[in-house]
């Protein structure tokens, strides 16, 4: 029976540290591509949701509701096996990248939509009054203001995406969780369950915790800054009324 205090098992895990390093590398690569794809989809769908055109809003809403209300595991399996049966397999890691991008793209879209909708309507009206088109208004006026609202929850989505790379295990991926499982069940490396999964968990923690902390600090900082701005504005209004 595996024990976290077994010296031999820790030595065995250390001997195969390259396996865990490879799994970590594959996880990071999968996450990076997945994040880029999810951000592209999120920006496109988020802008569609606030475009004012009904058919674009419907397309965005249908995508978001469909993706958010079906499990990621189901989407990974569907994408992998549907392509495999069609004779167009992308490979496990590529499938994972696309599946994660599609899944988290729906959440990124909601983050961007809510960030844009949090901007006061007066900003939109002022932009129209000054002759800005939709793209110019978004690029020069709305998006720069919404960045401070969007970034903290966006970082949280990045953290969730990194953790969700573990779903590749279901299709026999080469991510950190998959290679850890292969290690603990291997004919020559079997056993060492507790140390192996502890090491795997620590590697995820090393990646995810700093990002979570950055998002938390960022959000607190933005709230304090907004409070200071509101305080100064209220004092100026009071002084002008005197």
């Amino acid at each position: 029976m595996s024990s976290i205090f077994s010296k031999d098992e820790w030595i065995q895990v250390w001997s195969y540290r390259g396996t865990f390093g490879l799994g970590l590398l594959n996880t990071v690569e999968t996450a990076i591509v997945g994040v880029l794809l999810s951000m592209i989809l999120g920006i496109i769908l988020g802008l569609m949701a606030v475009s004012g055109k009904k058919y674009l809003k419907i397309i965005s809403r249908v995508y978001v509701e469909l993706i958010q209300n079906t499990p990621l595991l189901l989407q990974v399996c569907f994408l992998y096996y549907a392509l495999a049966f069609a004779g167009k397999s992308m490979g496990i890691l590529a499938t994972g990248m696309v599946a994660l991008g599609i899944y988290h793209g729906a959440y990124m879209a909601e983050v961007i939509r809510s960030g844009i909708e949090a901007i006061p309507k007066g900003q939109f009206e002022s932009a129209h009054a000054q002759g800005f088109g939709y793209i110019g208004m978004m690029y020069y006026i709305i998006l720069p203001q919404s960045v401070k609202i969007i970034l903290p929850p966006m970082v949280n989505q990045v953290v969730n995406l990194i953790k969700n790379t573990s779903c590749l295990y279901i299709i026999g991926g080469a991510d950190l969780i998959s290679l850890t499982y292969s290690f603990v069940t291997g004919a020559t490396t079997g056993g060492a369950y507790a140390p192996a999964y502890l090491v795997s968990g620590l590697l995820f923690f090393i990646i995810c915790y700093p990002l979570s902390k950055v998002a938390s600090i960022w959000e607190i900082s933005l709230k304090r800054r907004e409070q200071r701005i509101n305080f100064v504005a209220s004092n100026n209004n009071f002084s002008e009324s005197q």
Side-chain angles (χ1 to χ4, degrees):
M1 185 175 179
S2 180
S3 171
I4 196 171
F5 302 107
S6 172
K7 179 181 178 181
D8 291 339
E9 292 184 358
W10 280 105
I11 291 174
Q12 186 180 20
V13 169
W14 175 253
S15 298
Y16 286 87
R17 59 190 179 277
T19 299
F20 294 90
L22 176 62
L24 179 62
L25 178 62
N26 288 338
T27 289
V28 171
E29 289 179 350
T30 302
I32 290 173
V33 177
V35 166
L36 292 175
L37 179 57
S38 69
M39 290 183 71
I40 292 170
L41 288 172
I43 291 171
I44 293 172
L45 292 163
L47 291 175
M48 287 170 63
V50 296
S51 65
K53 296 183 179 180
K54 189 173 182 180
Y55 73 95
L56 292 179
K57 285 184 176 182
I58 292 173
I59 293 171
S60 176
R61 195 73 250 154
V62 169
Y63 178 91
V64 169
E65 294 296 341
L66 179 64
I67 297 300
Q68 287 190 352
N69 290 289
T70 52
L72 175 57
L73 276 174
L74 175 64
Q75 295 173 29
V76 171
C77 290
F78 174 81
L79 185 61
Y80 180 72
Y81 291 111
L83 290 174
F85 287 131
K88 299 179 181 180
S89 177
M90 295 187 296
I92 293 173
L93 287 180
T95 300
M97 293 171 184
V98 173
L100 288 167
I102 290 172
Y103 181 76
H104 285 277
Y107 290 91
M108 290 289 191
E110 285 294 272
V111 168
I112 291 169
R113 179 192 61 77
S114 60
I116 292 173
E117 289 182 347
I119 302 301
K121 297 296 182 183
Q123 296 293 318
F124 293 86
E125 295 169 357
S126 297
H128 284 303
Q130 293 177 29
F132 281 96
Y134 181 75
I135 295 176
M137 176 183 66
M138 285 295 173
Y139 184 80
Y140 291 106
I141 298 175
I142 303 303
L143 289 178
Q145 294 183 70
S146 63
V147 165
K148 64 180 181 180
I149 303 169
I150 290 170
L151 283 178
M154 185 176 286
V155 174
N156 287 329
Q157 281 302 315
V158 171
V159 173
N160 289 334
L161 187 149
I162 293 171
K163 292 186 288 186
N164 281 339
T165 57
S166 59
C167 289
L168 270 66
Y169 158 76
I170 200 70
I171 56 173
D175 61 290
L176 182 55
I177 294 296
S178 299
L179 291 184
T180 300
Y181 177 78
S182 297
F183 170 81
V184 299
T185 58
T188 58
T189 60
Y193 289 92
Y197 281 117
L198 179 59
V199 168
S200 183
L202 286 173
L203 290 174
F204 268 106
F205 181 82
I206 289 169
I207 299 174
C208 295
Y209 179 74
L211 290 173
S212 298
K213 200 67 177 175
V214 166
S216 177
I217 293 172
W218 206 338
E219 191 169 6
I220 292 171
S221 176
L222 290 173
K223 286 181 179 179
R224 288 177 178 173
R225 181 182 176 186
E226 188 174 356
Q227 288 173 353
R228 287 197 297 269
I229 292 173
N230 291 336
F231 178 75
V232 172
S234 62
N235 283 341
N236 288 339
N237 291 334
F238 179 76
S239 298
E240 291 173 0
S241 64
Q242 297 300 312

